[in-house]
Amino acid sequence: MVDPRTRWSSGDPQAVLDGFEQLPGFVWIFEGPDLRVVAANPAVRAAVGDRSSLLGEPFRSAVPELAGQHIFELLDQALHGVRSHGYEQRVLTDRSGDGRLTEAFYTFDMAPWRNPDGSVRGVIVQAVDATPVVVARQAAEAAAATAERRYRQAVGLVLELQRSLLPDMLPVLPHVQVAAHYLVASSDLVAGGDWFDAVPLPDGRLALTVGDVVGHGAAAAAAMGQLRTVARQALQSGGDLPQVLAVLDDFAARAHATRAATTCLAILDPGTGTLEVASHAHPAPLVVGPSGDGRYLSLTPAGPLGTGAGPAPVHTCRLRADDVLLLYTDGLIERPRRNLHDGARILADAAAGARRAILHEATTVPQRLPDRMCTLVTERLALAGGGFGDDTTLLAAHLLPEPVAPLHVTLPAETAALRPMRRHLGDWLARIGASAPDASDLVHAAGEAVTNAVDHAYPSGTPGTFTLHGTLDHQGVVHVSCADQGRWRPPVADPGARGRGLTMIRGLVDRAEVRHTETGTTVSMHRHIGQGTTVSTVAAAQAAGPHKQATAAEEFAVAVVETPTGRVLRVQGPVDLVTGPALRAAIMQASRGGSLPLTIDLTPVTHLSSTGVRILHEVDRIIAHLRVTATPQSPAHAVLELTGLGHLLPQAGTDATHEGAHP
């Protein structure tokens, strides 16, 4: 008679066999060093197909298609006493026997099968088919990825549409600094109808306008673009504030998409501080003083545009020096579960805090006051309300206490003066608020003018000077002149170099003139400059935030980098009369006198003068396989295209830089 305790501890053999055959998972049992299959339940046999010789066969020969799938290696580890696990492991088997592999995913446990003395007899494998779970998850991930891609495409299209219909640049003016932020509503990816603009008038005044078209979508966006264009044309034609609003009102009445739009128009005289404001159903502007004190202007709004409401009364007041005027759309003050009065109070509090903030220079918040206020106000109101339910526009104008003084500096006409000249001009452009691209081009053009004065104005060994003068006019045009008191000598006898510096100057500014007189030569350069506007989603604005412009290194340096695709000479800092000889020597050394192919990376170069251009033309004739790389945004790229060196740049579709060319 069998002891019941023994039967309970070892199990009824028939019951164990019946249970083994009906296990929901997969069980393999292998024996010996060749891993002969001694047991496999029906689930296993179904997974690998009809293989009559499975039992008793070494596993490697029974299921040979598993070679290379890291299964045999894990089994060998188990034979040496190492247990292993796999989670949703992909396994390819030949179920049909025709050589075509079927994919499945298994979560498994491979454990040593031990004898009573502890030695390893074989391996026991338990597995669960995870294929349905993996397939469902992959389908969900693919659907999520598709939805995410479509969402990002939609966001990109919305932002691109908004940018194309709104001004991408605002004027940089001597008495007023202007900034604007436009945020697409976080709850909607349909283009909205907000607009803003800042228009310098012929008499030196500045017009500021914001508005909102009813609805969303392509029709509202198109209507917004039309109204902004009509307002700009009426302002530039010399119309006063009531006349411009009358033109807008008449135009808005002609189409359903423009009818019932709202707008606020302000015209500021920077010289006197006089401000004229009128509104068609639009919130009143907010004025924030130096201490953060805020006041909403007392407007009497007329009805919406195009509804026959009649003309809007004009409110006249005077801004104090250092005041900031904020115009905005109602999306900024519409808060969930709050009325517009509460929203206006929250806006005033946020604006006061932003105005009083004294920031460390290392912060990513802009130092320029109107940019700072736009950034902090929109960020804080978005945080307070959990985003914006409608598109939001904020336009800020800071009436400067006094304009930035013109630039006037006289330096010796020698190569050592190039660096201090660039520093003086760059600092002045930063003070007036020029954007980084505008400043880079103007400094580059001025460097060419100064180089000509150094090269041609005075006989060798004769001391002389040049004077750099810079002004900013009321239309946002920078005028820079370089004047010397000598007589220009003929240029060096290089037909390829003749006039190259002046060609570069004319390519970098809007207009340039050279005037020779008995008392010297003056090169005058003129460029319309601007500050970029910010158009983004609320989420993008909060995630990215503003970033300070990186300042390129002014120190000249060269370094040779060996890459898998060849030798790269990396150049940084200014390439001018001072550093040109060192660059030429470095090129010849890196190319071993022109016998080796060479790539010259000019992306970190801050200034590529005509001296550098002449050197590149020279080495192009010497080095058989010369290549130059410079990103499209770099100062060198435009110069290369402008001076007949574009053929050295990578062609479209090729890599822009060599691997290892940048740290």
Side-chain angles (χ1 to χ4, degrees), residues 368-454:
R368 194 167 169 266
L369 181 58
D371 294 285
R372 182 173 84 216
M373 293 191 68
C374 285
T375 296
L376 294 180
V377 168
T378 52
E379 281 183 359
R380 291 170 178 176
L381 291 184
L383 180 64
F388 296 111
D390 195 4
D391 290 357
T392 297
T393 295
L394 179 59
L395 178 64
H398 177 210
L399 182 60
L400 298 176
E402 58 184 30
V404 176
L407 171 70
H408 191 85
V409 59
T410 299
L411 295 169
E414 55 189 38
T415 57
L418 286 168
R419 180 175 296 184
M421 179 280 298
R422 288 194 292 262
R423 184 177 66 252
H424 284 297
L425 180 56
D427 290 347
W428 180 76
L429 290 169
R431 287 197 298 274
I432 67 174
S435 66
D438 287 333
S440 175
D441 287 352
L442 282 165
V443 170
H444 208 143
E448 289 303 312
V450 171
T451 297
N452 279 333
V454 172

Side-chain angles (χ1 to χ4, degrees), residues 101-350:
L101 300 180
T102 301
E103 178 184 72
F105 295 85
Y106 298 99
T107 295
F108 57 79
D109 181 2
M110 294 184 180
W113 178 21
R114 298 185 181 276
N115 292 308
D117 62 0
S119 60
V120 177
R121 180 178 177 181
V123 177
I124 299 174
V125 178
Q126 301 178 73
V128 175
D129 187 358
T131 304
V133 175
V134 173
V135 169
R137 186 178 67 249
Q138 288 176 339
E141 290 173 349
T146 299
E148 175 71 11
R149 184 175 63 255
R150 289 175 177 171
Y151 173 81
R152 292 187 180 278
Q153 289 173 345
V155 170
L157 289 173
V158 168
L159 293 181
E160 189 62 32
L161 177 61
Q162 299 289 18
R163 289 190 182 103
S164 68
L165 294 170
L166 294 169
D168 57 350
M169 301 292 287
L170 293 175
V172 173
L173 303 170
H175 292 86
V176 185
Q177 288 185 340
V178 189
H181 277 209
Y182 185 113
L183 298 182
V184 179
S186 57
S187 60
D188 200 346
L189 287 178
V190 180
D194 284 14
W195 83 82
F196 63 86
D197 212 345
V199 184
L201 302 181
D203 60 5
R205 294 183 299 163
L206 175 66
L208 302 159
T209 178
V210 294
D212 189 3
V213 170
V214 176
H216 290 80
M224 169 268 285
Q226 291 172 335
L227 288 171
R228 186 180 77 83
T229 301
V230 168
R232 173 174 275 268
Q233 290 176 341
L235 287 164
Q236 291 176 332
S237 297
D240 60 16
L241 193 152
Q243 290 171 334
V244 173
L245 288 179
V247 170
L248 271 178
D249 188 52
D250 179 66
F251 183 85
R254 300 178 187 179
H256 175 75
T258 53
R259 196 172 299 125
T262 70
T263 189
C264 180
L265 176 61
I267 296 180
L268 173 64
D269 185 337
T272 64
T274 301
L275 181 72
E276 297 178 306
V277 188
S279 165
H280 276 270
H282 205 86
L286 172 66
V287 177
V288 184
S291 64
D293 54 304
R295 68 184 190 278
Y296 285 97
L297 299 183
S298 302
L299 297 186
T300 303
L305 293 171
T307 61
V314 177
H315 173 77
T316 302
C317 63
R318 188 178 296 274
L319 296 187
R320 299 166 297 180
D322 213 17
D323 276 349
V324 176
L325 177 69
L326 298 180
L327 284 77
Y328 52 92
T329 53
D330 56 8
L332 197 66
I333 58 174
E334 290 177 342
R335 318 306 299 162
R337 297 175 298 278
R338 295 181 184 271
N339 58 40
L340 289 181
H341 294 291
D342 290 337
R345 177 182 51 77
I346 294 171
L347 168 60
D349 289 344

